[in-house]
Amino acid sequence: MELNEAIIERMKELAAERNMTIHQVIQKGGLNQATISELMNGRTKHPKVSTIKKFCDGLEITLNYFFDVDIFK
């Protein structure tokens, strides 16, 4: 699995766990819709750490929590 695919999978998983849509998470985290659309549609292969951090902010989690799963090991 490619890194960007793992990131997308994790984003979807975390949003679903909190009964939120990706759109709700990015609004809360202050992310641009176009940035997430690029990632989700596979046009961005290497998302910035700052993008993932803002996503985490929207969920009120740490980057460590985001990446602390087997898919990233």
Side-chain angles (χ1 to χ4, degrees):
M1 177 179 292
E2 299 271 337
L3 178 60
N4 65 314
E5 293 170 336
I7 290 170
I8 292 166
E9 185 175 312
R10 183 68 171 147
M11 287 178 162
K12 290 178 180 179
E13 174 185 306
L14 288 167
E17 284 176 5
R18 287 158 179 79
N19 297 315
M20 296 175 74
T21 64
I22 297 291
H23 185 71
Q24 290 170 321
V25 176
I26 65 168
Q27 280 188 321
K28 192 172 177 188
L31 274 165
N32 183 310
Q33 178 66 43
T35 301
I36 289 297
S37 291
E38 293 283 316
L39 176 61
M40 294 295 179
N41 293 323
R43 290 188 296 271
T44 297
K45 296 292 183 189
H46 306 286
K48 295 179 182 178
V49 173
S50 60
T51 299
I52 299 168
K53 173 69 170 101
K54 286 182 181 180
F55 186 86
C56 290
D57 290 347
L59 292 171
E60 299 177 357
I61 63 170
T62 65
L63 278 169
N64 186 52
Y65 184 82
F66 183 91
F67 287 108
D68 192 23
V69 290
D70 287 342
I71 199 169
F72 296 114
K73 294 181 181 176

